[in-house]
Amino acid sequence: MMPDKSMTIIEKWKKKLEGSGILVVIGGHDSPSPRGVGYSKNQAIAQSSGSYLCFLDADDVMMPQRVRLQHEAALRHPKSIIGCQVTREPPNSTERYTRWINQLAPDQLLTQVFTSNGPTVIMPTWFCSRAWFAHVGPFDEGGRGVPEDLLFFYEHLRKGGGVVRVDQSLLLYRYHPSAATHSVLETTIWAHRVRFLEERALPHWPTFTIWNAGRQGRRLYRSLTAGSRRKVAAFCDVDENKIRKGFYCYEDSQERPKPRIPVLHFRAARPPFVICVKLDLTAGVFEDNLRSLNLQEGRDFLHFS
């Protein structure tokens, strides 16, 4: 259904493009309502040909060398999603997020997969082999409100996929407040993230500490299954008031007595840590505190916020 006459516009451009030797394949559906982003991506892949898939959102612009450089990387890493650095438009629209996209170290592409930022290489930069996509996919077609790229990324990791970034800016990544990404509820994404953390990380740790005795840390604790909550040895923080109180009581627990989790200064707490402090927001104070402990990301701590 295209009430905005977009089909007429596409047909017009089809003739022009094919007159220049560019093949145009037009798809669609007969449903009276939108089928969602996952459906559209799956249809585009089904209608395409070739051994590799290069994803590009309609409003973004890729650089001329993108396909060549990502194809070279994909040949070296056949079971990986290949991403790239981006240039944001408008330039100052999402400064912290853009820094995160562009500055993650290679090992952090796998250790920071639990954060609220989502996939460590963003979906509009993805490049992979068709064979690997078929092994992992397709995208979830649940429609509006489903984080289809995040779910695909998690499944990719479950199946042993790697994550590689070409360290050149190969995409002009446009920001729109009304983009489809914003239709997914934060609570939906939070639930998927917590379950993935419990599936992939927490089974390797007999106990762990939640770094942040404030709202985000307590929310994570309450969101965990009962088995995972029992692994929480302590909260840690730098807030003297929270530390002075000495504990957090989970009032909604059905257990008797209700769990009382110690609240410690971060230097008194024991790793591993699940960190519920957002990066790049404390003028470097949190990052300095974390570095002072000489811990290894992935083994001794994971970022969740």
Side-chain angles (χ1 to χ4, degrees), residues 3 22 37 45 48 50 72 113 116 148 151 156 161 182 216 221 236 240 251 288 297:
I22 301 171
V37 177
I45 290 164
S48 67
E72 290 171 357
V113 297
S116 59
E148 79 291 331
L151 297 180
H156 163 76
H182 304 300
Q216 284 292 94
Y221 177 84
C236 72
E240 291 297 336
E251 296 291 351
D288 287 345
E297 186 168 358

Side-chain angles (χ1 to χ4, degrees), residues 103-141:
Q103 295 179 8
L104 286 176
D107 58 332
Q108 291 177 316
L109 296 174
L110 288 175
T111 59
Q112 293 207 11
V113 297
F114 306 103
T115 77
S116 59
N117 288 328
T120 47
V121 288
I122 61 168
M123 198 274 160
T125 72
W126 287 3
F127 188 104
C128 67
S129 74
R130 180 181 295 273
W132 183 251
F133 177 87
H135 179 65
V136 175
F139 287 106
D140 188 296
E141 296 186 2

